[in-house]
Amino acid sequence: MAVIEVKNLSYVYSKKTPYEKKALDNVSFEINEGEFFGIVGATGSGKSTLISHFNVLNKPQTGSVKVLGMDCSEKKNFLAVRFGVGMVFQYPEYQLFEDTVAKDVAFGPKNMKLPKEEIDRRVKESLDLVGLPYEVYGERSPFELSGGEKRRAAIAGVIAMEPKILVLDEVAAGLDPEGRDEILKLIKRLQKEKCPTIVLISHNMDDIAALSDRILVMANGKIELLDTPKEVFKNVKKMTDLGLGLPTATGMQVELASRGVKFDDVCVTFDELASQIEKIKAGGNGYVS
Amino acid sequence: MSQEEVKNVKFSYSKKEENAVYALKGISFVIEKGEFVSVVGRNGCGKSTLAKLLNGLFEPSSGKVTVCGYDTKNEDTIFEIRKRAGMVFQNPDNQMVATIVEDDIAFGPENLGVPPEEIEIRVASALDTVGMSEYRHATASKLSGGQKQRIAIAGVLSMEPEILIFDEATSMLDPKGRGEVMSVAKKLNAQGITVINITHNMDEVVMGDRVLALNDGQLVFDGTPKELFKDVEILKRAKLDLPPVAKFRNMLIERGIKVSEDILQSNELVEEIWQLLK
Amino acid sequence: MFRDISFGQYYPASSPVHRLDPRIKLILTVLYIVTIFFIETYFSYLVTFVFLIVVILLSRVPMLSVLKSVKGVIFLVLFASVLNLFFVKTGEVIYEKQITSVWHFMITWDGVHNSIKLTLRLILLIAGASIITLTTTPMRLTDGVESLLKPLKLVKFPVHDVAIIMSIALRFIPTLLEETNKIINAQKARGASFDTGGIFKRAKAMLPILIPLFVSAFRRADELAFALDSRCYNATEKRTKMKKLKMHFSDLVATLITAGYATVIFLDRYYFMGLDHMFFPEVF
């Protein structure tokens, strides 16, 4: 079942001015329930404009966007759509503002006008989920936390709204390797336990390839490709020309293939590539000069 | 010739002895002219503090930092240090003072009292070096992240530095921007400028000749990237990641495919796999 | 929300107006603004309008950019004009009605003229003032201010620091606007609404925007301070300038044209006692 339906969507910034810019150009696709949906594209390709339609921060100018069956052009749906789609923007820690972590996480649920007990339950649950146990972190100031902790607190503030769809924009940017690992583990856990439909924007092709069921490739406001990671990264030249690159594993596979090694299939993760190499080595017939 | 000499340096943000919490707990090393040194470590390990000690933005609480022969504690020669050791910061938006590119690049030499005609020449040559000549009259805030950081580098180059310190200068950039900045860094290093790159990105570490790893205010490793990425103990202790290629190398070794244990470059690994399959 | 604000943003182009010495532009802008406040007649407004159009055409800034600056304050202008319309009680009455015992609603010809003139005055003022920021880079503008304020150095006024502060403020306007937008979006995504409830509720609703904005502004200020230090700010008293301000012949021409324009306006007011009677006798 499609939870987000985008049909013939176009969007122009600063219409009829010298600064006019077409950010989206007749874009159509669907995101299904339970799907891990990756979006890639160079800076300025229209990704951000696209996802800001998912919870009506931008209203459709032409075309339509339906979220969880609700039309994003109708004003009466705005709040319901915003509560249905959790948005974790780039550097989400910059949205923290309350004097305690718990209060900040409660901001979303409070706006949803939930009963107090329910808010408390959600605050505790989401803080525990992101690895900032309520008992330890709940009463601390969000501004005293470390960079990685701040980011997880901000994510807790979004998942406390228990959205059906979670959208994450460059969620690991600027973190140290340890922080990156924690965030990526958290995303996998969130999908399993909390929010099955996830939209992930990333420049890291290794992450995107390993996590996504399908990948949407954008350039100049248009859809270039939309398919499984394997099918997307088969387009070696296109992905390189768009300045997006390939997963490290695919890059090495391409190098090996150019020397004459024959593979059964495209590999997008190290695991797949290692298995293929193992197989070729054992069979001894992978080599063509 | 040594350009950066750090000797038994301790640093605490609090000036009072009794409530001093040391961000750096006694660090010593020497960086020679022309080196490309990476500094790594988890957030809060003290590497950004260290960066700011390297051009006298901070003074050590104890110990001594000498840059090109000048002690950073000496107020009279502080600008001798800062013009020789230029710094590029993390957030491209927070280090530009002027709206227009060329005005921003001229800021350093103007502060130093360089004659106007000479500044013109320096601005042009700095822009050329970072490959941004056509943006000389552009509005800086409208550029991409990678372009902004290259302008920041040009702003430092116009002071004709001997040392370039990157304080997580690529962490907010996309891969394209990161590539642009690192290739400029490489190019400058090849021209003899010492590069000190504080980073979280292990691929950048592979580009350098030497790496310093910090953990909890202490220097836990000083050697080549190859040595670092073999040292499982240190990597674990300093919470460091392996570069993707090294991860794959280990995966292959685990599966009984014999490749060398210290490979870090993708093309080297491809070559070895190729030899095995041939 | 703030994406369309363009006031104060430099429009890069090569034109005689762009090339004028910023000091001259500052002085002429002040002269223009003062002159506008002396305008009494529609004739003078016409002259000002023509003068402004000529300057805009010479500057090669698209008319739209100038209009945009005006658009930003149009509500303020209309509000002031409407107030004028209702509160001026002199002149021939057009319409009147006793609404309550104390409020006597009345529109008069004087009120109509007053509010039309106020609207024209404010629009011409803003459009004219925006030309200087549209055609002068902030750096040159601050250089101009610095140079004009130089005499204050004698009384130990930190002229250069003030100029730098001004330059940095201008430089950070777009950055902070963008940041504000991002924060607003992030809080909206968490279900915040900023346009419902009474005034206190609305003020309170601004906190989730203002606090992160201040935190971020302070963080930026901190980092900027390090950047200024490491780029040798205050290294020497003998600071130089890449681009020295220099007067050209064109600056003289610009001064003469503007002075000529101002003379016409002053003559209209004080010598001819309002040329409207001569040009539009049927109206008055």
Side-chain angles (χ1 to χ4, degrees):
Chain A
M1 197 190 81
V3 285
I4 294 183
E5 298 157 70
V6 177
K7 243 185 226 144
N8 306 108
L9 182 67
S10 296
Y11 196 89
V12 182
Y13 282 113
S14 312
K15 242 185 187 166
K16 291 181 196 141
T17 73
Y19 308 101
E20 180 169 312
K21 190 179 178 285
K22 204 164 201 178
L24 289 176
D25 191 358
N26 199 16
V27 169
S28 304
F29 66 94
E30 289 180 357
I31 298 175
N32 299 315
E33 191 174 9
E35 191 168 30
F36 200 116
F37 194 83
I39 302 181
V40 300
T43 309
S45 61
K47 295 172 298 183
S48 300
T49 311
L50 177 64
I51 62 160
S52 63
H53 280 89
F54 294 171
N55 70 347
V56 266
L57 293 171
N58 278 333
K59 282 153 229 157
Q61 285 176 343
T62 43
S64 71
V65 178
K66 263 191 185 176
V67 172
L68 301 164
M70 292 176 283
D71 189 337
C72 290
S73 304
E74 285 176 39
K75 202 162 184 199
K76 66 172 167 52
N77 291 335
F78 286 3
L79 264 187
V81 170
R82 282 192 189 144
F83 294 146
V85 182
M87 280 278 188
V88 178
F89 290 101
Q90 278 185 50
Y91 302 96
E93 56 273 26
Y94 294 163
Q95 74 196 33
L96 299 170
F97 72 99
E98 282 283 12
D99 48 357
T100 71
V101 171
K103 272 196 206 166
D104 206 284
V105 175
F107 182 67
K110 260 191 195 152
N111 287 329
M112 297 171 82
K113 311 248 176 340
L114 297 171
K116 198 183 167 302
E117 307 77 61
E118 175 67 6
I119 295 178
D120 289 345
R121 179 191 71 77
R122 288 186 177 197
V123 169
K124 285 198 178 104
E125 205 181 286
S126 6
L127 278 175
D128 288 346
L129 197 62
V130 299
L132 302 172
Y134 179 83
E135 290 71 28
V136 187
Y137 290 90
E139 295 307 314
R140 284 171 63 178
S141 161
F143 301 107
E144 288 168 7
L145 305 180
S146 77
E149 288 169 344
K150 269 187 201 162
R151 184 155 308 175
R152 282 182 282 143
I155 294 175
V158 175
I159 57 178
M161 298 168 75
E162 304 196 339
K164 297 270 186 306
I165 304 161
L166 189 61
V167 182
L168 304 146
D169 188 358
E170 285 299 339
V171 70
L175 295 179
D176 62 4
E178 192 188 6
R180 270 185 62 84
D181 270 3
E182 277 167 1
I183 291 277
L184 291 176
K185 269 185 208 142
L186 173 63
I187 294 172
K188 283 184 206 154
R189 194 167 158 205
L190 283 174
Q191 193 189 22
K192 233 187 248 158
E193 295 176 21
K194 214 54 200 191
C195 180
T197 314
I198 291 195
V199 180
L200 180 76
I201 294 187
S202 177
H203 286 299
N204 188 316
M205 296 303 138
D206 286 348
D207 292 348
I208 280 275
L211 292 166
S212 309
D213 297 319
R214 280 195 303 158
I215 300 173
L216 174 71
V217 182
M218 294 205 56
N220 302 319
K222 290 195 183 111
I223 295 181
E224 285 288 331
L225 296 165
L226 172 57
D227 219 319
T228 58
K230 274 187 195 298
E231 291 302 316
V232 163
F233 291 115
K234 257 182 198 163
N235 299 281
V236 173
K237 188 168 177 326
K238 187 171 229 172
M239 294 304 283
T240 320
D241 288 350
L242 290 175
L244 298 170
L246 301 167
T248 318
T250 318
M252 294 175 71
Q253 189 188 18
V254 170
E255 281 299 310
L256 286 167
S258 74
R259 295 183 187 212
V261 181
K262 266 206 171 159
F263 293 94
D264 299 343
D265 199 2
V266 189
C267 303
V268 295
T269 64
F270 285 140
D271 210 42
E272 290 167 8
L273 185 58
S275 303
Q276 288 261 335
I277 290 172
E278 242 176 349
K279 218 170 101 190
I280 292 168
K281 193 161 176 277
N285 55 357
Y287 161 58
V288 182
S289 71
Chain B
M1 194 187 90
S2 82
Q3 282 194 316
E4 289 274 2
E5 208 175 323
V6 174
K7 222 180 201 170
N8 302 321
V9 163
K10 285 188 183 177
F11 182 82
S12 157
Y13 283 89
S14 164
K15 290 256 193 288
K16 282 187 198 144
E17 191 97 23
E18 61 269 22
N19 42 15
V21 180
Y22 288 100
L24 293 176
K25 302 172 177 172
I27 285 187
S28 305
F29 59 85
V30 176
I31 291 174
E32 305 290 331
K33 184 173 167 50
E35 278 193 283
F36 192 123
V37 183
S38 312
V39 181
V40 296
R42 61 199 292 205
N43 280 340
C45 71
K47 55 189 193 313
S48 262
T49 310
L50 178 63
K52 294 186 175 75
L53 284 156
L54 295 179
N55 75 342
L57 289 173
F58 289 162
E59 274 177 27
S61 306
S62 69
K64 193 172 167 186
V65 178
T66 317
V67 183
C68 302
Y70 297 97
D71 185 341
T72 59
K73 271 191 178 159
N74 186 346
E75 291 277 337
D76 301 332
T77 52
I78 194 72
F79 292 110
E80 294 300 322
I81 291 175
R82 289 192 187 145
K83 74 176 185 199
R84 285 178 173 82
M87 193 139 168
V88 181
F89 296 86
Q90 180 177 26
N91 191 327
D93 283 319
N94 298 352
Q95 49 190 318
M96 286 194 194
V97 291
T99 306
I100 303 297
V101 166
E102 63 169 348
D103 294 335
D104 191 74
I105 299 172
F107 183 71
E110 284 178 346
N111 286 332
L112 293 167
V114 176
E117 312 74 51
E118 163 91 24
I119 300 180
E120 287 270 357
I121 298 168
R122 287 194 187 188
V123 168
S125 114
L127 276 168
D128 184 50
T129 307
V130 299
M132 291 287 289
S133 294
E134 56 189 303
Y135 294 93
R136 180 164 183 161
H137 302 286
T139 306
S141 63
K142 297 215 158 112
L143 302 176
S144 74
Q147 290 174 327
K148 282 181 191 167
Q149 285 301 60
R150 284 191 280 159
I151 296 304
I153 296 174
V156 171
L157 289 180
S158 64
M159 296 192 290
E160 305 194 328
E162 294 168 33
I163 306 164
L164 253 178
I165 304 164
F166 292 89
D167 187 2
E168 295 189 37
T170 61
S171 79
M172 295 181 79
L173 305 181
D174 61 12
K176 188 164 166 270
R178 182 187 293 273
E180 288 166 11
V181 169
M182 287 321 290
S183 70
V184 170
K186 263 283 182 206
K187 181 173 155 191
L188 290 169
N189 185 240
Q191 291 168 8
I193 292 181
T194 310
V195 174
I196 303 172
N197 183 30
I198 287 120
T199 184
H200 286 312
N201 187 299
M202 296 307 143
D203 277 333
E204 289 176 16
V205 175
V206 175
M207 290 172 60
D209 340 300
R210 179 176 163 197
V211 49
L212 306 177
L214 295 184
N215 188 38
D216 195 20
Q218 266 154 350
L219 189 64
V220 292
F221 180 88
D222 181 353
T224 64
K226 274 198 174 172
E227 286 160 5
L228 174 69
F229 293 120
K230 268 198 307 198
D231 198 332
V232 184
E233 192 51 43
I234 292 288
L235 289 173
K236 236 188 197 161
R237 219 170 102 200
K239 302 261 184 199
L240 294 172
D241 210 6
L242 282 174
V245 173
K247 276 186 194 159
F248 185 47
R249 165 199 84 195
N250 288 357
M251 185 185 275
L252 290 175
I253 294 171
E254 247 170 62
R255 293 189 182 202
I257 299 168
K258 287 200 184 68
V259 289
S260 312
E261 277 176 21
D262 58 355
I263 289 188
L264 292 175
Q265 310 277 4
S266 153
N267 53 353
E268 288 170 21
L269 188 53
V270 166
E271 183 57 39
E272 284 210 12
I273 297 171
W274 166 238
Q275 293 302 334
L276 282 173
L277 294 183
K278 203 157 74 168
Chain C
M1 181 186 243
F2 292 114
R3 201 172 277 126
D4 287 336
I5 289 188
S6 72
F7 191 84
Q9 293 201 18
Y10 176 63
Y11 183 92
S14 167
S15 84
V17 183
H18 281 75
R19 281 190 294 271
L20 288 181
D21 187 299
R23 289 169 295 185
I24 293 295
K25 275 196 263 192
L26 279 164
I27 293 169
L28 295 184
T29 303
V30 171
L31 175 63
Y32 171 80
I33 291 171
V34 170
T35 308
I36 280 186
F37 281 98
F38 282 87
I39 296 182
E40 277 282 289
T41 65
Y42 287 106
F43 170 74
S44 284
Y45 279 114
L46 187 69
V47 173
T48 308
F49 184 71
V50 172
F51 172 70
L52 194 62
I53 295 289
V54 170
V55 174
I56 294 171
L57 289 178
L58 278 174
S59 74
R60 301 208 179 110
V61 172
M63 210 59 86
L64 243 151
S65 299
V66 182
L67 286 180
K68 255 194 170 167
S69 311
V70 177
K71 201 179 125 197
V73 287
I74 198 76
F75 281 106
L76 193 76
V77 172
L78 289 179
F79 183 67
S81 307
V82 169
L83 277 186
N84 240 278
L85 190 61
F86 293 154
F87 288 109
V88 174
K89 310 230 159 168
T90 57
E92 195 186 325
V93 175
I94 303 170
Y95 176 85
E96 66 180 316
K97 191 179 180 182
Q98 193 74 30
I99 292 183
T100 65
S101 56
V102 284
W103 190 18
H104 183 72
F105 184 77
M106 187 157 80
I107 293 177
T108 67
W109 273 117
D110 277 8
V112 172
H113 285 305
N114 259 335
S115 61
I116 291 175
K117 283 177 178 170
L118 183 71
T119 310
L120 289 174
R121 179 175 295 167
L122 289 175
I123 287 175
L124 288 171
L125 178 90
I126 289 153
S130 74
I131 290 174
I132 188 166
T133 49
L134 283 164
T135 62
T136 321
T137 67
M139 194 50 111
R140 272 173 62 83
L141 201 60
T142 43
D143 283 354
V145 172
E146 188 179 353
S147 170
L148 289 174
L149 292 181
K150 229 176 219 162
L152 289 177
K153 269 190 182 161
L154 291 176
V155 291
K156 299 264 183 248
F157 184 78
V159 174
H160 176 61
D161 291 313
V162 169
I164 278 286
I165 290 168
M166 202 180 129
S167 158
I168 287 173
L170 287 170
R171 145 77 189 80
F172 273 87
I173 286 172
T175 309
L176 288 176
L177 284 178
E178 195 185 318
E179 175 112 21
T180 311
N181 249 327
K182 277 187 190 160
I183 297 171
I184 290 176
N185 275 345
Q187 306 300 27
K188 264 194 192 164
R190 293 210 278 169
S193 61
F194 307 113
D195 37 20
T196 52
I199 185 147
F200 280 107
K201 214 175 157 198
R202 278 194 203 195
K204 214 184 146 209
M206 293 305 281
L207 286 181
I209 299 168
L210 292 178
I211 293 173
L213 194 61
F214 274 104
V215 170
S216 140
F218 279 113
R219 193 190 60 242
R220 286 179 191 279
D222 249 9
E223 288 175 21
L224 185 67
F226 280 128
L228 285 177
D229 273 345
S230 62
R231 292 172 72 184
C232 298
Y233 183 58
N234 272 343
T236 160
E237 287 292 303
K238 292 186 209 91
R239 198 172 187 276
T240 47
K241 282 262 151 207
M242 175 169 68
K243 291 180 199 146
K244 273 231 138 118
L245 295 179
K246 250 178 35 210
M247 303 271 185
H248 294 94
F249 183 65
S250 57
D251 292 300
L252 179 67
V253 175
T255 309
L256 288 177
I257 293 175
T258 313
Y261 152 73
T263 312
V264 172
I265 303 300
F266 283 100
L267 280 180
D268 179 31
R269 177 163 176 159
Y270 290 109
Y271 188 75
F272 299 110
M273 298 301 159
L275 278 169
D276 277 3
H277 300 282
M278 204 183 294
F279 286 92
F280 315 101
E282 66 280 8
V283 186
F284 300 92

